[in-house]
């Protein structure tokens, strides 16, 4: 590995991508892949593999940072473990399906879908950010008005003022110890899904593609994912568990709501696997639409990405898909960038009192990814048209 202008420029772009991606909860793969391909000069497969390594580094750093933090308004961790339990197994199952679709779909189909989806989600996130900004403005005005009224002298001005039990003096702690903030039972269930999927993926590499045993082993992912999601779904239905980060909406869940959420998880995974980006670009905007606060949406989305990206990294390592020195260097860059991004944005939010900044960063990251990935895809499409190459569906069994 030799340092030159390409590495320097790639480091700068990768640093910005990881900082923005970690804050928005989308990872940054949409920026990493074009950077590794166009600037550093890796082939598409190596770029995707190193990108996954960078996402894992950035996500791991962000999760470590967030593990000590509490929910902005409720007495619970910033990461919503119940939300992760409902989505993560379905997300990983969807990613496996999406990867198979990626092999069959022509590149131009993936490019068109990517551009449409990313422009749509970035626009939706921007609108959500503007709505949240307006709500925050109203709340700040009301708070300022209330403070002004309280500061006016009254008949009892000489008496000592005491905070109400629900006042600012009893807000949840900002940080707590790491061990106190981790829900070990939920975490162990997510690790069980991760290990189960990883074992299936490793065994698949040693089986003839599309053989009977190949499909039997592949189908084992369904009961692994379904068992954990079903456990969480039953608990939500009975009311023994809640998605507490939604605030007051902690009533018993209806069956159709649970089915809808699970469907969203699988769809997010399928789209992420199809586009080769993981599920972060879909989960972040999805959580916001479900009414999850921006800080919690970003933290929980990144938490889910740690599992999916690390599984991909292990697979790529076993397949010897990436040069370790380059991967290690860019993982270090992404890790430092993610930690820096989280720290800086958290300070800005504390000063301005506006969590909507996270949503704007999310929208910006997705939009930049749409332009960069879309540009690379369109250039590749034009080249294939000029060379009159085949651009239809491929055979999964022949290419896998």
């Amino acid at each position: 590995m030799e340092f030159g202008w390409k590495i320097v420029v790639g480091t700068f772009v990768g640093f910005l991508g990881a900082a923005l991606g970690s804050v928005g909860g989308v990872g940054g793969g949409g920026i990493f892949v074009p950077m590794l391909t166009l600037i550093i000069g890796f082939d598409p497969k190596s770029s995707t593999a190193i990108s996954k390594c960078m996402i894992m580094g950035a996500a791991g750093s962000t999760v470590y940072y967030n593990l000590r933090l509490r929910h902005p308004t409720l007495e619970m961790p910033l990461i919503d473990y119940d939300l992760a339990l409902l989505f993560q197994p379905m997300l990983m199952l969807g990613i496996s399906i999406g990867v198979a679709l990626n092999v069959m779909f022509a590149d131009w189909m993936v490019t068109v879908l990517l551009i449409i989806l990313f422009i749509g989600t970035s626009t939706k996130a921007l609108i959500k950010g503007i709505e949240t900004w307006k709500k925050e403005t109203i709340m700040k005005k009301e708070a300022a008005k209330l403070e002004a009224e309280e500061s006016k002298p009254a008949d009892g001005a000489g008496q000592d003022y005491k905070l109400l039990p629900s006042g600012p003096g009893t807000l949840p702690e900002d940080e707590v110890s790491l061990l106190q903030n981790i829900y070990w039972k939920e975490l162990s269930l997510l690790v069980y899904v991760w290990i189960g999927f990883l074992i299936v993926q490793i065994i698949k590499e040693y089986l003839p593609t599309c053989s009977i045993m190949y499909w039997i082993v592949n189908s084992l992912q369904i009961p692994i994912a379904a068992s954990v999601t079903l456990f969480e779904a039953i608990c939500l239905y009975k009311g023994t568990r809640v998605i507490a980060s939604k605030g007051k909406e902690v009533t018993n869940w209806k069956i159709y709501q649970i089915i809808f959420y699970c469907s969203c998880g699988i769809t997010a995974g399928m789209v992420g696997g199809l586009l080769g980006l993981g599920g972060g670009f879909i989960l972040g905007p999805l959580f916001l639409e479900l009414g999850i606060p921006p800080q919690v949406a970003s933290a929980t989305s990144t938490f889910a990405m740690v599992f999916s990206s690390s599984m991909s990294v292990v697979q790529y390592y076993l397949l010897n898909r990436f040069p370790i020195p380059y991967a290690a260097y860019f993982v270090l860059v992404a890790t430092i960038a993610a930690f820096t991004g989280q720290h800086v944005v958290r300070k800005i939010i504390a000063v301005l009192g506006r969590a909507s900044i996270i949503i704007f960063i999310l929208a910006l990251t997705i939009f930049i990814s749409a332009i960069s990935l879309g540009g690379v895809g369109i250039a590749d499409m034009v080249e294939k048209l000029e060379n009159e190459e085949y651009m239809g569906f491929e055979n999964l069994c022949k290419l896998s």
Side-chain angles (χ1 to χ4, degrees), residues 11-63:
T11 300
F12 177 74
V13 174
F15 189 93
L16 285 178
L20 291 172
S22 67
V23 172
V26 294
I31 298 173
F32 299 151
V33 173
M35 177 272 289
L36 292 164
T37 305
L38 301 177
I39 299 176
I40 308 298
F42 283 112
D43 62 271
K45 288 188 177 180
S46 297
S47 297
T48 302
I50 297 175
S51 170
K52 288 290 185 184
C53 294
M54 294 179 72
I55 291 171
M56 181 188 72
S61 171
T62 304
V63 168

Side-chain angles (χ1 to χ4, degrees), residues 85-107:
L85 267 181
L86 188 62
F87 274 94
Q88 174 62 9
M90 294 292 103
L91 178 75
M92 294 184 71
L93 181 61
I95 288 174
S96 295
I97 299 170
V99 168
L101 293 175
N102 178 269
V103 173
M104 293 188 292
F105 277 45
D107 290 342

Side-chain angles (χ1 to χ4, degrees), residues 92 95-97 99 194-206 214 217-218 221 311-312 315 318-319:
M92 294 184 71
I95 288 174
S96 295
I97 299 170
V99 168
W194 185 88
I195 293 173
F197 270 66
L198 183 62
I199 291 171
V200 169
Q201 297 298 329
I202 292 173
I203 293 173
K204 272 172 56 182
E205 298 299 328
Y206 298 96
Y214 174 90
V217 170
N218 213 16
Q221 294 173 105
M311 188 178 74
S312 298
Q315 287 178 255
L318 294 173
L319 294 170

Side-chain angles (χ1 to χ4, degrees), residues 110-388:
V110 175
T111 300
V112 171
L113 176 63
L114 184 145
I115 293 172
I116 293 171
L117 182 71
F118 277 23
I119 290 177
T121 51
S122 63
T123 304
K124 193 79 174 173
L126 179 61
I127 293 170
K128 187 77 174 179
I130 293 170
E131 288 176 359
T132 307
W133 179 278
K134 289 178 178 177
K135 288 178 182 176
E136 288 168 343
T137 302
I138 293 170
M139 289 173 67
K140 286 170 77 73
K141 286 179 179 178
E142 289 178 351
K145 185 179 178 182
L146 189 65
E147 188 177 342
E149 288 176 356
E150 289 177 349
S151 62
K152 289 178 182 178
D155 295 335
Q159 297 177 359
D160 291 334
Y161 173 72
K162 294 183 180 179
L163 288 171
L164 293 171
S166 59
T170 57
L171 285 174
E173 289 181 79
D174 199 27
E175 290 188 29
V176 296
S177 67
L178 199 66
L179 295 176
Q180 184 184 340
N181 225 21
I182 297 176
Y183 289 6
W184 294 102
K185 181 180 178 181
E186 287 79 359
L187 182 61
S188 61
L189 286 172
L190 292 170
V191 171
Y192 152 74
V193 174
W194 185 88
I195 293 173
F197 270 66
L198 183 62
I199 291 171
V200 169
Q201 297 298 329
I202 292 173
I203 293 173
K204 272 172 56 182
E205 298 299 328
Y206 298 96
L207 295 173
T209 305
C210 291
S211 64
I212 295 174
M213 187 55 67
Y214 174 90
W215 291 115
I216 291 173
V217 170
N218 213 16
S219 64
L220 291 176
Q221 294 173 105
I222 298 173
I224 292 171
S227 59
V228 174
T229 297
L230 194 61
F231 163 75
E232 178 68 16
I234 292 171
C235 291
L236 288 173
Y237 179 71
K238 291 183 176 178
T240 55
R241 284 178 177 271
V242 293
I243 305 296
S245 60
K246 292 192 72 173
K248 295 179 181 179
E249 300 177 39
V250 292
T251 53
N252 290 15
W253 283 52
K254 309 297 181 185
I255 293 177
Y256 74 88
Q257 289 178 306
I258 295 170
I259 293 173
F260 173 72
Y261 272 46
C262 292
S263 301
C264 288
I266 293 179
T267 305
M270 286 174 64
V271 173
L274 175 60
L275 302 179
L277 295 172
F281 279 90
I282 313 297
L283 278 189
L286 177 63
F287 286 164
L288 291 174
E289 285 300 312
L290 296 175
I292 307 298
Q295 301 98 313
V296 181
S298 172
T300 308
S301 174
T302 306
F303 181 64
M305 272 194 298
V306 168
F307 293 94
S308 56
S309 61
S310 59
M311 188 178 74
S312 298
V313 168
V314 173
Q315 287 178 255
Y316 285 134
Y317 175 76
L318 294 173
L319 294 170
N320 199 25
R321 284 276 181 87
F322 57 82
I324 294 178
Y326 281 96
Y329 172 75
F330 282 112
V331 165
L332 180 63
V333 169
T335 302
I336 296 171
F339 201 85
T340 304
Q342 288 288 327
H343 185 73
V344 170
V345 170
R346 186 161 172 255
K347 292 292 183 185
I348 293 172
I349 291 172
V351 172
L352 299 179
R354 292 186 182 272
S356 54
I357 292 170
I358 294 175
I359 308 178
F360 289 123
I361 292 174
L362 169 66
L364 176 64
T365 309
I366 295 176
F367 182 73
I368 292 172
S369 300
I371 301 299
S372 57
L373 282 175
V376 172
I378 291 171
D380 182 57
M381 192 176 7
V382 171
E383 185 181 341
K384 286 188 175 181
L385 282 170
E386 290 175 348
N387 297 333
E388 296 183 356

